Amino acid sequence: MARITILGVHTAVVIMTILIGTVAMAPSIQYTQASVISSTSRIAVGGTIAVSGSNVYAAWWNNKTGDFEVMFRASADNGHTFGPKINLSNSPGVDSTAAQIGAEGKNVYVIWWETSGNTAEPFLRISYDNGNTFGQKIMLSNATTAAIGSTISGGSK
């Protein structure tokens, strides 16, 4: 995250540089142009990405609404362009933070924590169409299926 000033307003900007190539072979790493995926005059904190094929998925949390919310954007062209921003948590009065992403094939899994007062609950949303749409929020601590730990990796439907 970078902080810049635009027209006298301090702005937090989330900038991502996507690496293309094999990380183990340093000379083969190619950098694309940095993409600004979000800007806000409020605080933006943290971010995470996942890659599946030419799809790049990004999630971060900011308090543009006054509460921290988990935001998401997807790219289908190796991170050159990104689709619209989606508020995955959409939880007024609750702070949603510490998002993580897992992806495999067309499936995208985003997990985060929602805190209010002295309680913290893990939530999950799943997309089965490359991040274009997501199912309802699932509270993992009350879910009838097995809860996922604090880290996730891609899986199949």
Side-chain angles (χ1 to χ4, degrees):
M1 180 185 69
R3 291 203 47 91
I4 62 174
T5 302
I6 301 172
L7 300 175
V9 176
H10 295 292
T11 303
V13 179
V14 178
I15 300 175
M16 298 184 67
T17 301
I18 308 304
L19 300 177
I20 301 172
T22 305
V23 176
M25 305 297 279
S28 69
I29 295 176
Q30 299 174 0
Y31 295 89
T32 66
Q33 201 170 24
S35 300
V36 176
I37 60 168
S38 176
S39 64
T40 179
S41 60
R42 304 242 180 181
I43 298 171
V45 181
T48 181
I49 64 169
V51 177
S52 180
S54 61
N55 296 299
V56 179
Y57 307 106
W60 66 99
W61 49 102
N62 68 35
N63 72 344
K64 187 174 185 175
T65 63
D67 299 309
F68 280 95
E69 299 286 355
V70 173
M71 308 305 291
F72 173 88
R73 288 185 79 180
S75 170
D77 60 6
N78 292 309
H80 295 285
T81 60
F82 283 84
K85 188 172 15 176
I86 301 171
N87 182 340
L88 291 180
S89 56
N90 199 19
S91 301
V94 175
D95 284 333
S96 303
T97 61
Q100 296 181 38
I101 299 178
E104 185 177 336
K106 293 182 175 187
N107 303 336
V108 182
Y109 309 88
V110 182
I111 187 173
W112 68 90
W113 287 91
E114 292 194 353
T115 57
S116 178
N118 293 331
T119 62
E121 300 287 346
F123 281 82
L124 170 72
R125 286 191 72 182
I126 302 171
S127 171
Y128 297 111
D129 60 3
N130 295 315
N132 291 310
T133 61
F134 281 84
Q136 295 296 314
K137 288 191 325 185
I138 301 168
M139 182 188 296
L140 295 176
S141 59
N142 289 342
T144 57
T145 58
I148 296 175
S150 60
T151 60
I152 62 173
S153 62
S156 57
K157 183 177 176 183

